[in-house]
Amino acid sequence: MLDIVIVGGGPIGIACGLEAKKKGLSYVILEKGPLVNSLYNYPINMQFFSSSERLELDDIPFISKEAKPSRNEALEYYRRIAMSNKLNIRLFEKVTNVNKSENVFHIQTTKSSYVSKNVVLATGFYDIPNRLEIRGEELSKVTHYYKDPHFYAGQKLAIVGASNSAIDAALECWRKGAEVTLIIRGSEIGKRVKYWVRPDIMNRIEEGSIKVYYNSNITEIRPFEIDVETQKGLKTIENDFVLALIGYKPSFNFLEQLGITLSKDNAKKPTYNEETMETNVKGIYLAGVICGGMETHKWFIENSRIHAKMIVEDIIVK
């Protein structure tokens, strides 16, 4: 029987594994994809908002070329930590079921099964995109994940969203030769857009290089065009691809199946003890961004690294 099963092999899951190993607890980290799966699926040219020292785990130095590291540098850093510390990680192994019986958890995966005294959920939020819920969203030209700007060179690209991911994609794709149109539900670019990026996007919009429709929504997507409800009425635009970058959410169904209660408001914040990170289900802990529910901007690597120590300390004193 294990002391801890950690669900999620991202930076915070790795932090939990490091802490468990340091304290002599038996553990396994289960990751449904490659190591740090969410980071791997970030845009190829992504640069973190945080500086490298704020992304460090267990005081292991993170050296990057610039103050704010790139996606590839982060992949290298977390991979080296996991490998050099010989963490017990099972990759491409998805958790399919968790049952509790007589204070013991039985965890079933796509490859094996485990028995553990405790479960730590460090699954993040990047796997389930928010949807537009409109006709045509199922077309192959529509995606909720952005990877590489080269793909959209010479294409008419509509990007839905006003956050960092949408703005970064708009600028990168425009610079690679895409004809970019931003569709923004609100009246302005998102307030949390990186301060060094905001002047760039505003200048591109002002000079007409990137088109934008504020207070607007796509109402229908067709193979070669889209309908946009604007302040001046319905407008039909020629279109080759749609990037719907309107955010992501945790797997609330999975949390509820485990018996974890969620707040009744739109935030759907899971119930947990802020001093120990233990949920209302004894023996199940939360770590990382999943703690915020729909408020995915509240928790980052830099402010949730501490969760690993809090959880392991609580398990030890029990």
Side-chain angles (χ1 to χ4, degrees):
M1 182 187 299
L2 296 168
D3 291 312
I4 312 173
V5 164
I6 301 163
V7 185
I12 303 306
I14 290 174
C16 291
L18 288 170
E19 195 64 24
K21 183 176 182 180
K22 188 190 304 183
K23 298 299 183 182
L25 299 179
S26 58
Y27 71 95
V28 65
I29 301 172
L30 303 174
E31 170 57 67
K32 73 175 187 178
L35 188 66
V36 288
N37 181 58
S38 291
L39 294 188
Y40 174 76
N41 286 303
Y42 281 176
I44 288 176
N45 299 322
M46 194 210 80
Q47 186 176 31
F48 281 84
F49 194 102
S50 303
S51 55
S52 57
E53 70 271 12
R54 293 181 177 272
L55 302 175
E56 292 175 353
L57 302 181
D58 204 33
D59 296 321
I60 300 170
F62 184 172
I63 308 301
S64 58
K65 292 180 181 178
E66 300 180 27
K68 295 174 172 58
S70 68
R71 162 193 175 271
N72 286 347
E73 288 174 322
L75 290 179
E76 181 72 16
Y77 175 72
Y78 295 118
R79 182 174 67 249
R80 285 184 176 273
I81 286 179
M83 299 305 177
S84 63
N85 285 278
K86 296 180 172 58
L87 293 182
N88 184 22
I89 301 179
R90 311 291 171 85
L91 301 174
F92 299 98
E93 185 168 347
K94 182 179 180 179
V95 173
T96 57
N97 195 29
V98 177
N99 286 316
K100 186 177 184 181
S101 176
E102 297 181 355
N103 295 320
V104 173
F105 294 95
H106 298 267
I107 299 95
Q108 185 67 46
T109 74
T110 51
K111 294 183 178 180
S112 187
S113 59
Y114 305 86
V115 179
S116 179
K117 299 174 185 176
N118 301 279
V119 174
V120 175
L121 303 180
T123 50
F125 70 101
Y126 199 57
D127 292 326
I128 305 176
N130 294 324
R131 295 183 59 80
L132 297 170
E133 303 294 349
I134 60 173
R135 182 178 298 176
E137 189 172 8
E138 74 286 351
L139 293 174
S140 60
K141 64 183 277 187
V142 182
T143 180
H144 296 82
Y145 295 93
Y146 166 66
K147 196 74 173 178
D148 189 340
H150 174 82
F151 183 84
Y152 301 103
Q155 301 299 292
K156 294 179 174 60
L157 173 65
I159 299 177
V160 186
S163 64
N164 279 298
S165 57
I167 301 309
D168 284 346
L171 289 167
E172 286 186 8
C173 292
W174 170 72
R175 290 195 163 95
K176 296 300 182 183
E179 183 181 319
V180 177
T181 300
L182 276 167
I183 313 295
I184 296 176
R185 181 175 59 183
S187 59
E188 60 181 346
I189 299 297
K191 295 185 181 299
R192 289 193 293 271
V193 167
K194 290 169 281 195
Y195 65 85
W196 65 91
V197 172
R198 179 178 288 275
D200 191 1
I201 188 63
M202 297 309 297
N203 287 337
R204 302 294 77 75
I205 291 172
E206 185 175 346
E207 70 188 16
S209 298
I210 293 177
K211 300 175 185 177
V212 62
Y213 291 97
Y214 293 112
N215 299 301
S216 301
N217 293 283
I218 295 182
T219 57
E220 185 173 342
I221 301 170
R222 294 184 292 278
F224 305 109
E225 59 189 15
I226 59 175
D227 288 341
V228 181
E229 187 62 53
T230 74
Q231 288 181 302
K232 297 181 179 180
L234 190 67
K235 186 173 182 63
T236 297
I237 303 171
E238 291 185 8
N239 173 262
D240 298 308
F241 292 98
V242 176
L243 274 172
L245 303 179
I246 53 176
Y248 309 89
K249 58 187 177 183
S251 178
F252 294 118
N253 288 339
F254 182 57
L255 293 176
E256 290 179 319
Q257 287 170 8
L258 296 178
I260 298 171
T261 57
L262 308 176
S263 64
K264 301 300 183 182
D265 55 15
N266 292 333
K268 294 187 177 180
K269 181 181 175 182
T271 301
Y272 67 94
N273 184 326
E274 294 184 0
E275 296 181 359
T276 65
M277 308 309 296
E278 188 173 29
T279 68
N280 59 285
V281 179
K282 186 176 176 60
I284 298 184
Y285 295 80
L286 301 181
V289 70
I290 193 172
C291 300
M294 286 298 291
E295 296 179 328
T296 54
H297 61 280
K298 291 290 183 70
W299 292 101
F300 308 95
I301 297 171
E302 63 183 77
N303 68 355
S304 59
R305 297 174 295 181
I306 188 63
H307 293 171
K309 290 185 178 181
M310 296 167 65
I311 291 168
V312 171
E313 286 176 3
D314 189 62
I315 290 173
I316 288 174
V317 300
K318 280 186 174 179

